[in-house]
Each structure stands twice: as structure tokens, then as C-alpha cells.
Amino acid sequence: MNPPESDWRLQGQESYLKKSKFVYRQYQRPRLDWDHDHCEFCGIKILEERKLKDSKNVICEAYVNEDDRWICPECFLDFKDQFEWNLKQ
């Protein structure tokens, strides 16, 4: 089921996420001075697994596209049809 168009998480992401291809993987920081990312929709923090014990309301696995845009599993399921996302093989 698609979320309504008035969903608070929708903030213009279609301009850069429409028809993106994603993979599901464990988060790894892209460089030493960068320790987390956020879901492009709900903002949940995405950290490396070893840091999970230090924080609440964080995840360590999510969907990521070629532009390193991260989507949590819940938001991915909510928006995959609306944004016409595919999973890479």
C-alpha cells in the first residue's frame, strides 16, 4: 500500500530518487571522518554495526543507491512502488 501524498516523509525526493536502483547492505562509513547517514525519508540514523550498542533508534542495514542515498527498510517498502524502485541483481 502506498502512503498518501500528504505523508510527512515526502519532501521532494522524487527529483533525485525516482526510478533509482538499490541494494540492501550493511552500512559502512565512506571515510574516516563520516560515521553515519540518515534515511532520506524518515531520518533514522544509519550506523556501522559496532556502534549500534551506543545509540537508540538506529539501524545498521538499509537500502542504498548509486548516489549513496540511504533508505531504511520501512520507508523502502512504503515508497518503492510510488518511486518505481528496483533492486540490483
Side-chain angles (χ1 to χ4, degrees):
M1 183 165 109
N2 285 336
E5 295 295 320
S6 62
D7 190 305
W8 66 270
R9 298 172 292 175
L10 293 171
Q11 299 177 26
Q13 296 97 327
E14 62 278 345
S15 66
Y16 58 93
L17 288 175
K18 189 80 170 180
K19 296 186 179 184
S20 288
K21 294 185 180 179
F22 287 87
V23 295
Y24 185 78
R25 69 175 172 91
Q26 185 170 330
Y27 181 79
Q28 291 181 318
R29 59 187 182 172
R31 56 184 199 259
L32 292 176
D33 63 341
W34 192 287
D35 69 350
H36 73 278
D37 275 282
H38 294 270
C39 173
E40 293 288 324
F41 291 87
C42 70
I44 193 169
K45 190 180 279 190
I46 306 167
L47 297 170
E48 288 184 357
E49 187 174 8
R50 67 176 180 253
K51 291 189 169 193
L52 268 179
K53 64 180 186 223
D54 301 331
S55 301
K56 292 184 179 185
N57 299 319
V58 299
I59 59 174
C60 63
E61 294 178 335
Y63 295 89
V64 63
N65 73 0
E66 297 150 346
D67 296 326
D68 288 325
R69 302 287 187 159
W70 289 86
I71 313 292
C72 76
E74 183 177 340
C75 290
F76 188 87
L77 289 176
D78 288 347
F79 296 108
K80 69 182 176 85
D81 294 333
Q82 181 176 343
F83 282 75
E84 301 175 47
W85 293 331
N86 290 304
L87 291 175
K88 284 185 182 178
Q89 299 297 327

